[in-house]
Amino acid sequence: MTIREVGAAAGVSTSTVSRVLNGTAKVDPSLVQRVHDAVADLGYRPNAAAQGLARGEAGAIGVLVPDLANPYFPDILKAVSSVARTHGRRVMIMESDENAASEYEYAQDLMRCCDGVLLCSTRMDRASLVDLTLQGTPMVMVNRMVPGLSTPSVSVDFYGGMTLVCGHLAQLGHRRVAYLSGPEASWANAERVRAFAAAAAFGLDITVVPCGSTTRHGYEAIASLPDAGITAIVAYNDLVALGAMAGFEERGVRVPDDMSVIGCDNLSLDRMPSSGRLLTTVSGPRDQLGRQAAERLELFMTSEPDSEPLLIPMELVIRDTSVPPGTTRPSHTP
């Protein structure tokens, strides 16, 4: 069914049908009624994308993420999609596969076909971000803040979250700790490292060990740990923590008796398979992060941007894998 057939049934031109359905111009009320009657009789359903183009809009927002396989992002995308639907928009998703060099091109692709773009945990450099802001498409950054850049941003407070971790480990009596570091270009990782740089205030000596963001990375990083004295590790995320625990298990290192392990993000993949231990972690509300980012983008697209950065607090979730050094606990299955 096309608007040509609607026009024929209503006895008006296709341009009149278009103006009525798109609301782009004032039309005589009698003609409006005839068009609506024809639409109802014929069961015509307007093409939302075509209507958006007639208004100079795409009717969609774009989201760029570094890794769709990472379970951190689905909750964010679900929240973004929910907000977008309430505003009559669709969501287009692209993945950079943790390749910072490709993000600029992918962001431009989204800008060509979307009314606004969310850059989620973007790794690209500042110069590229500045260039994107000058291209005129509303853009909001998620889990990335750049001083001096006016683009709106919404982020979890990773610095505050890691400060909570440092305080927890110090209270337990740990002194030498290793941090399994995330992707080199990750702002969230830099915020964690920045917090650990201040860890001396807690009496902690933290060694940063290059790692990554996956379970495999965590498993392989165990071989790079300092030989002696480390009683706890903090992982870039829960996936890395699970990989590290698997590596410890193979080496006969008991978690948490011999080594405390703390993750980040509370991904609900928190059970150590053989022992039933539940992972201590820090949690940031991913659904809130997605909603806030999508609402800020909608505000940017329809009125004035809110350029004040928004930081969402993290919460320390203490479970089974962090105990005082030298503590022996019985195995159990919750």
Side-chain angles (χ1 to χ4, degrees):
M1 188 63 60
T2 66
I3 62 171
R4 185 183 299 276
E5 292 169 286
V6 172
V12 300
S13 67
T14 55
S15 61
T16 297
V17 175
S18 178
R19 289 195 296 272
V20 171
L21 297 181
N22 293 323
T24 55
K26 187 175 182 180
V27 180
D28 183 274
S30 64
L31 297 182
V32 172
Q33 187 60 51
R34 283 160 57 183
V35 169
H36 286 313
D37 289 343
V39 166
D41 291 341
L42 297 174
Y44 173 75
R45 296 181 63 185
N47 185 306
Q51 286 185 312
L53 290 173
R55 297 190 299 269
E57 300 176 354
I61 62 173
V63 186
L64 179 61
V65 299
D67 183 9
L68 283 171
N70 188 330
Y72 181 80
F73 295 106
D75 287 341
I76 295 175
L77 294 173
K78 185 175 181 179
V80 168
S81 181
S82 176
V83 172
R85 283 197 304 271
T86 65
H87 295 287
R89 301 185 191 274
R90 295 164 289 122
V91 178
M92 298 182 64
I93 301 168
M94 294 187 73
E95 175 196 35
S96 67
D97 197 24
E98 287 287 0
N99 183 357
S102 67
E103 286 187 336
Y104 179 80
E105 178 184 350
Y106 292 156
Q108 284 191 314
D109 288 343
L110 288 172
M111 286 179 169
R112 281 190 281 268
C113 58
C114 297
D115 300 319
V117 173
L118 290 174
L119 298 181
C120 220
S121 299
T122 179
R123 317 298 198 206
M124 75 179 77
D125 58 42
R126 178 191 174 91
S128 297
L129 288 170
V130 170
D131 187 72
L132 288 175
T133 63
L134 298 176
Q135 296 186 24
T137 300
M139 184 176 76
V140 171
M141 293 191 295
V142 183
N143 281 347
R144 174 75 183 270
M145 293 186 177
V146 180
L149 198 66
S150 60
T151 300
S153 61
V154 182
S155 176
V156 169
D157 184 5
F158 296 109
Y159 181 91
M162 288 304 109
T163 300
L164 292 175
V165 168
C166 290
H168 174 58
L169 289 174
Q171 287 180 338
L172 290 175
H174 294 276
R175 292 297 176 261
R176 293 200 62 199
V177 178
Y179 170 56
L180 303 186
S181 183
E184 185 177 352
S186 165
W187 173 84
N189 183 66
E191 286 294 284
R192 292 161 167 81
V193 173
R194 188 167 70 90
F196 293 138
F202 294 93
L204 298 178
D205 177 11
I206 298 184
T207 301
V208 177
V209 178
C211 183
S213 60
T214 68
T215 303
R216 178 178 61 83
H217 291 147
Y219 175 83
E220 294 174 348
I222 294 306
S224 302
L225 288 179
D227 291 336
I230 299 294
T231 60
I233 68 164
V234 181
Y236 171 72
N237 62 20
D238 289 354
L239 298 179
V240 171
L242 288 175
M245 288 195 294
F248 284 137
E249 184 178 5
E250 283 190 3
R251 290 165 172 78
V253 177
R254 300 168 300 169
V255 176
D257 305 68
D258 304 321
M259 184 73 66
S260 287
V261 177
I262 298 180
C264 182
D265 296 336
N266 197 23
L267 297 179
S268 299
L269 303 175
D270 50 17
R271 189 178 299 277
M272 188 175 177
S274 63
S275 70
R277 300 291 190 203
L278 296 177
L279 179 65
T280 296
T281 187
V282 277
S283 176
R286 295 184 294 280
D287 56 344
Q288 181 184 349
L289 181 66
R291 284 197 308 272
Q292 293 278 7
E295 290 290 3
R296 286 206 165 194
L297 182 60
E298 182 65 28
L299 181 65
F300 197 167
M301 292 186 295
T302 57
S303 57
E304 292 295 324
D306 184 352
S307 58
E308 185 68 24
L310 175 63
L311 272 179
I312 299 175
M314 299 193 83
E315 175 188 2
L316 178 65
V317 183
I318 301 173
R319 297 191 180 117
D320 298 334
T321 61
S322 58
V323 299
T327 299
T328 299
R329 301 177 66 187
S331 298
H332 70 284
T333 301

